[in-house]
Amino acid sequence: MAVGPMIVNEALELVLTRLTEKNLSGALVAMDSYLSAHPKQNDAHRVEAVRADFQLMTDYWRRGYKDPQLNGLYDNLLRRMYVIYANAALGYAVGHSSYLSSVYMRLTLTARDWSVQSLKESLEAHVSEVAMLELEPENKRGEKRKEIFRRHHQLMSEWFDNIWLSTIWTDGQASAMEELLLSPTIDVRDQQLLVSGIMIAAINYFDVAKFRTLLHVYRQASDETVRQRALVGWVMSLRNSVPVLLYREDLKEMETLLEDGKVCEELVQLQEQIIFCINAEKDNQTIQKDIMPDLLKNSNFRVTRHGIEEIEEDSLEDILHPDAEERRMEQMEESFQKMQQMQKQGSDIYFGGFSQMKRFSFFQDICNWFVPYYTDHPGISELMERFQKNRFLQTIVSVGPFCNSDKYSFLLAFSQVMERIPEQLRQMMEAGEAAVTEVMQEESRSAAYIRRMYLQDIYRFYRIYPKRGDFYDPFDRESADYIFMAHPAFMRTHLEPYFNEVAAFMIKQKLYEEAGMVLENCGEARRDFRYYMMAGYLVQHGYFQFEGEELTDRYFYQKALEFQPDSERALLGYARALFRMENYEEALGIYDRLLTIQPGKRNYLLNRAVCLSKLKRFADAQKDLYRLNYEMPDDQHVNRVLAWTLTCDDKFEQADRIYGTLMGGNPAPEDLLNYGYCLWLRGHVDDAADCFHRYLKESDDTPLGILAKERDLLLEKGITEAEMQLMLYIL
């Protein structure tokens, strides 16, 4: 069970396993094993302190003392041991990663006061320095401003590294940082970046002090950008069982927070937005295959190795096809509307394009993946001066619908291609503005928009950053930790009523396994008709298997019918479940009920006929089938069932005529197989074998499979064991 960066140690992972089992003695033994192999780590005295307290507790217990605080004291020892584990795991990762080691050494060699109080003073001083710039002479103000922001960026970059690489915090460290993050005297841009550093650290190794800090900032921050980053941070830190098993009491505050319906609604939105993030690659394929070719084909520009070239207008084309230009414009508009619709639904439509623009040295500094966009950033300030008259660029990077790291990417890439852009297009860019509406500007201030842009920044980091392998990836498909609503911390909370909504959204996105995980986290008291219908659907179609042998599709649909006894959808699901279990008698009764709801419905009549046939009530089955055949003579499904029913009823000649129709053209494998049985039962062995040969070519079945499928029927109709072996020999 990996809980930190991808660089893990088996002995340490055993310590964690024992802790999540609440087996302190086993954790101590596993930690001893680790420390014996890594004596340079200075954790032995801490382990001995835990062991001594554990031994003292054991001694008192053996003497018969009944300590009412025993459970609490034991849990406290588990938490102390977890802190030792997490710090040791971080130390191991640093020692075995050249990248982490280089960051750690750089921080160690930095002559900086790493107290939060010192940071607070520096950040407040920066705000004052920027404010005092107005008093500087105009000819000196520009250079002074650059120097102030250069020093400030250096400070923030180092502090960002210090935080995400920090060990487990004490309560004092957490309180001091919380005060800083809520202080009105600090620039909110700095607060946003610090919150991101805390998030990365808490994702790598759960830290209850960091978790509480993020939770408090989310609850109390007045600035929405800070608040939303804190929300994403504390949610993403809940990715394994440690919080529930070792810090249950510390989750009470979160549970109280969830009593607020607005908080639950934000969490629902967050879960759906994360799903859109992980679909970014798939959405990019859709754009590249279905949308971009139309846009490029119908535009007046083409991309070449030498840059963007304008395509000269063809006057002859205008004469021969006067409406061609109008059609091109319509097709371009349709393509744009497709992309806009995808974006409106929450898709990350820019991931594919901007993921190619993250190779600039600017992104070697990890904090630049998370720093809010601002024009004074020393990595782009000179470029902003150079393009300050380009109204198109200024609009795009200031209010365009891009996440922060994409804005930096766009500006850096733009500076490299600007010289290769056709003069006419360059003049248009400098004179005009991007089409950013007031609605978009208004939307950009909403919590949902802020959160979506931030998630895109995070997703790009964990997908593209060259050293991402040294970090635990919260979007990892295999672990599915991004499905936070499946985390046991949210079970039996006020978030449970929203699980159905989220599961339905996931089913719509074809994330069936994930939907099942969310439903499985729903307590029995919250399970309603909708829950049982979705669970039944997932099980019936093989998308998910709930824990417990009795939790079959039949069980779920049966429970759904307790809520709505006359629900057509629930009855249909239940009938299919019964049919799959070969309970044809009860399935027949359900199809009879369905036909009272929808008299004459073709599928219900057809399935009812199959049930009758399975029950050997062939005459009754044929009544329905002949009626359907009369009404829909070309319906192959009806013909297929009728032919097989006639075969089972020894009416081989009638069945043969229908199979003759089914064999025309390109017969389905099922028809080849069934016709083979029909021919065999008629005594036409070679013709039957020919059908079986064709069936085997069209399917993955085997000769043994052919005999096993209808073994009972063949024996009943007089085909002996010896004849079956002879057919097997022929095949």
Side-chain angles (χ1 to χ4, degrees):
M1 181 192 344
V3 298
M6 296 306 170
I7 302 168
V8 294
N9 175 274
E10 288 186 10
L12 279 174
E13 292 308 290
L14 182 58
V15 175
L16 179 65
T17 300
R18 296 292 175 261
L19 286 172
T20 55
E21 296 169 350
K22 294 203 168 188
N23 181 356
L24 181 57
S25 59
L28 287 166
V29 171
M31 183 57 79
D32 287 340
S33 175
Y34 170 74
L35 290 176
S36 65
H38 301 84
K40 291 184 179 180
Q41 291 217 3
N42 302 318
D43 294 307
H45 67 288
R46 296 184 180 87
V47 175
E48 287 308 312
V50 172
R51 194 192 316 276
D53 288 346
F54 184 42
Q55 185 62 52
L56 185 62
M57 179 188 295
T58 306
D59 291 342
Y60 273 101
W61 172 73
R62 292 177 68 180
R63 292 172 192 167
Y65 288 102
K66 287 289 185 181
D67 187 348
Q69 305 297 321
L70 182 65
N71 289 337
L73 292 171
Y74 185 79
D75 288 344
N76 186 53
L77 289 177
L78 287 172
R79 289 191 286 269
R80 284 169 58 187
M81 196 65 198
Y82 172 76
V83 171
I84 296 171
Y85 153 78
N87 289 339
L90 177 60
Y92 180 85
V94 169
H96 290 77
S97 162
S98 58
Y99 170 66
L100 296 180
S101 180
S102 66
V103 175
Y104 178 78
M105 289 302 297
R106 188 170 68 246
L107 293 173
T108 303
L109 297 173
T110 301
R112 190 179 293 287
D113 180 355
W114 294 110
S115 68
V116 178
Q117 180 58 34
S118 173
L119 174 62
K120 187 173 186 290
E121 292 170 0
S122 297
L123 296 183
E124 289 175 339
H126 171 71
V127 172
S128 298
E129 278 188 302
V130 173
M132 295 295 288
L133 276 172
E134 294 300 320
L135 303 178
E136 291 288 331
E138 191 171 344
N139 62 334
K140 296 181 179 180
R141 192 181 303 161
E143 288 304 314
K144 183 73 179 281
R145 187 178 188 89
K146 287 180 183 177
E147 176 58 23
I148 289 173
F149 280 98
R150 186 198 63 77
R151 283 189 285 104
H152 182 68
H153 177 74
Q154 182 67 25
L155 168 76
M156 291 305 298
S157 179
E158 291 174 0
W159 260 100
F160 185 80
D161 289 344
N162 179 65
I163 289 174
W164 68 257
L165 204 53
S166 63
T167 54
I168 301 298
W169 281 359
T170 64
D171 288 343
Q173 286 175 298
S175 297
M177 184 58 74
E178 180 185 324
E179 181 183 346
L180 174 67
L181 295 174
L182 295 173
S183 172
T185 60
I186 305 300
D187 193 313
V188 295
R189 187 168 54 244
D190 296 335
Q191 292 171 331
Q192 290 177 62
L193 187 58
L194 294 172
V195 165
S196 295
I198 298 171
M199 176 195 70
I200 295 174
I203 289 174
N204 282 339
Y205 302 98
F206 180 77
D207 181 345
V208 72
K210 295 185 179 83
F211 171 79
R212 279 199 305 265
T213 300
L214 293 170
L215 195 70
H216 293 169
V217 171
Y218 168 66
R219 192 183 65 204
Q220 300 174 41
S222 57
D223 183 83
E224 197 62 52
T225 57
V226 175
R227 184 173 172 273
Q228 290 304 318
R229 288 198 179 206
L231 168 64
V232 175
W234 70 258
V235 167
M236 284 193 166
S237 71
L238 292 171
R239 61 173 186 77
N240 57 40
S241 58
V242 169
V244 171
L245 295 174
L246 303 183
Y247 294 97
R248 184 79 254 185
E249 287 300 312
D250 294 280
L251 295 179
K252 297 284 187 188
E253 189 174 350
M254 180 200 75
E255 294 171 8
T256 301
L257 187 64
L258 294 176
E259 294 175 8
D260 186 341
K262 291 183 179 179
V263 173
C264 291
E265 288 172 7
E266 286 201 320
L267 287 170
V268 170
Q269 291 174 359
L270 173 58
Q271 182 65 88
E272 293 179 357
Q273 288 173 327
I274 289 174
I275 296 301
F276 281 122
C277 276
I278 67 167
N279 284 339
E281 281 95 343
K282 184 179 73 175
D283 291 340
N284 180 53
Q285 289 179 359
T286 300
I287 292 170
Q288 294 300 320
K289 291 180 180 178
D290 302 336
I291 297 177
M292 289 307 297
D294 284 341
L295 285 175
L296 292 174
K297 182 177 67 177
N298 294 300
S299 69
N300 289 324
F301 298 94
R302 62 168 170 253
V303 181
T304 70
R305 289 188 307 165
H306 307 292
I308 302 172
E309 295 180 357
E310 186 174 8
I311 302 173
E312 293 185 9
E313 294 184 6
D314 188 344
S315 57
L316 182 60
E317 178 71 12
D318 291 339
I319 296 170
L320 297 176
H321 305 286
D323 59 340
E325 179 65 22
E326 185 177 346
R327 285 202 306 272
R328 279 200 301 270
M329 293 301 294
E330 287 177 356
Q331 289 174 346
M332 280 188 68
E333 187 175 348
E334 286 177 8
S335 299
F336 273 120
Q337 286 177 350
K338 285 181 184 177
M339 289 182 65
Q340 287 177 340
Q341 186 62 29
M342 288 175 67
Q343 186 181 26
K344 195 175 293 184
Q345 291 172 348
S347 298
D348 184 359
I349 65 172
Y350 300 112
F351 174 79
F354 282 106
S355 63
Q356 307 301 316
M357 300 183 192
K358 296 293 192 290
R359 297 188 180 94
F360 299 104
S361 59
F362 178 90
F363 291 105
Q364 291 178 6
D365 187 349
I366 184 175
C367 87
N368 284 338
W369 292 81
F370 298 93
V371 66
Y373 177 81
Y374 67 111
T375 57
D376 285 305
H377 190 299
I380 64 161
S381 56
E382 290 187 5
L383 291 177
M384 289 307 296
E385 285 184 6
R386 177 179 159 195
F387 297 122
Q388 61 181 333
K389 293 182 179 179
N390 191 306
R391 297 175 65 186
F392 172 85
L393 178 62
Q394 295 293 337
T395 304
I396 284 290
V397 296
S398 60
V399 294
F402 310 112
C403 62
N404 290 295
S405 66
D406 283 357
K407 288 182 179 181
Y408 287 118
S409 296
F410 186 85
L411 181 60
L412 293 165
F414 189 85
S415 67
Q416 294 192 352
V417 303
M418 188 63 177
E419 299 304 324
R420 288 177 285 175
I421 292 177
E423 182 63 28
Q424 181 183 357
L425 182 57
R426 194 185 315 159
Q427 290 175 1
M428 288 169 56
M429 286 179 158
E430 290 177 352
E433 294 184 8
V436 180
T437 66
E438 288 297 323
V439 175
M440 183 177 290
Q441 294 183 43
E442 183 66 30
E443 180 193 357
S444 67
R445 290 188 283 270
S446 70
Y449 181 89
I450 292 168
R451 189 170 53 247
R452 184 166 76 242
M453 293 299 104
Y454 180 50
L455 283 170
Q456 291 179 10
D457 280 325
I458 300 172
Y459 188 77
R460 280 149 178 69
F461 170 74
Y462 282 106
R463 276 291 178 270
I464 305 170
Y465 186 53
K467 302 297 182 180
R468 60 189 177 277
D470 290 329
F471 298 84
Y472 186 90
D473 181 4
F475 299 100
D476 179 52
R477 288 270 188 169
E478 187 174 343
S479 65
D481 288 329
Y482 55 87
I483 308 298
F484 66 83
M485 287 208 177
H487 196 283
F490 294 111
M491 185 181 288
R492 292 184 292 277
T493 69
H494 284 75
L495 191 61
E496 269 193 345
Y498 298 86
F499 286 175
N500 281 347
E501 177 184 343
V502 173
F505 171 81
M506 291 177 176
I507 290 173
K508 189 176 180 181
Q509 296 293 318
K510 294 183 171 54
L511 296 172
Y512 304 114
E513 189 79 15
E514 292 83 347
M517 291 165 59
V518 173
L519 290 177
E520 201 165 32
N521 204 32
C522 189
E524 192 167 348
R526 296 285 188 182
R527 297 175 184 178
D528 56 11
F529 174 80
R530 192 182 185 193
Y531 166 87
Y532 287 115
M533 287 298 294
M534 286 191 289
Y537 171 82
L538 293 173
V539 173
Q540 194 162 75
H541 291 82
Y543 296 133
F544 192 78
Q545 186 61 54
F546 290 81
E547 291 186 11
E549 292 182 6
E550 76 285 356
L551 300 181
T552 62
D553 51 345
R554 177 184 181 179
Y555 166 82
F556 288 119
Y557 285 120
Q558 199 169 28
K559 296 293 287 186
L561 287 167
E562 292 178 11
F563 286 90
Q564 296 185 26
D566 296 323
S567 167
E568 185 177 353
R569 290 190 301 120
L571 285 169
L572 180 58
Y574 189 48
R576 287 170 175 168
L578 292 169
F579 190 93
R580 184 179 57 80
M581 297 171 66
E582 300 183 6
N583 187 344
Y584 304 116
E585 190 72 51
E586 192 175 352
L588 177 63
I590 300 300
Y591 280 115
D592 284 337
R593 287 179 63 183
L594 285 166
L595 284 165
T596 62
I597 299 172
Q598 291 263 30
K601 186 166 182 176
R602 174 252 196 200
N603 285 344
Y604 298 165
L605 283 169
L606 191 59
N607 289 328
R608 181 180 183 275
V610 174
C611 288
L612 288 167
S613 179
K614 292 288 185 180
L615 293 168
K616 300 182 180 180
R617 293 170 55 181
F618 303 119
D620 292 333
Q622 288 168 48
K623 288 179 184 177
D624 287 339
L625 291 168
Y626 275 121
R627 172 187 165 188
L628 289 170
N629 181 255
Y630 176 77
E631 294 173 351
M632 295 171 283
D634 297 326
D635 190 315
Q636 298 293 66
H637 293 294
V638 173
N639 290 334
R640 183 172 294 121
V641 176
L642 177 57
W644 182 245
T645 302
L646 291 168
T647 299
C648 294
D649 198 23
D650 297 334
K651 297 178 179 179
F652 303 123
E653 291 186 10
Q654 293 169 263
D656 192 275
R657 285 197 294 271
I658 299 174
Y659 278 123
T661 302
L662 292 170
M663 291 299 107
N666 188 23
E670 179 186 355
D671 296 327
L672 291 168
L673 177 64
N674 290 341
Y675 189 33
Y677 291 131
C678 180
L679 290 167
W680 191 3
L681 293 173
R682 292 188 70 187
H684 301 169
V685 176
D686 285 340
D687 291 337
D690 179 59
C691 272
F692 290 148
H693 276 299
R694 291 172 64 190
Y695 165 74
L696 290 171
K697 289 180 181 179
E698 296 289 330
S699 69
D700 296 327
D701 209 345
T702 63
L704 281 173
I706 291 175
L707 296 178
K709 276 183 174 62
E710 295 295 341
R711 181 182 183 82
D712 292 341
L713 175 70
L714 294 172
L715 289 171
E716 181 186 326
K717 300 296 183 183
I719 302 295
T720 65
E721 291 280 0
E723 288 177 295
M724 290 187 196
Q725 292 302 317
L726 292 174
M727 177 61 77
L728 186 63
Y729 174 71
I730 294 174
L731 296 179

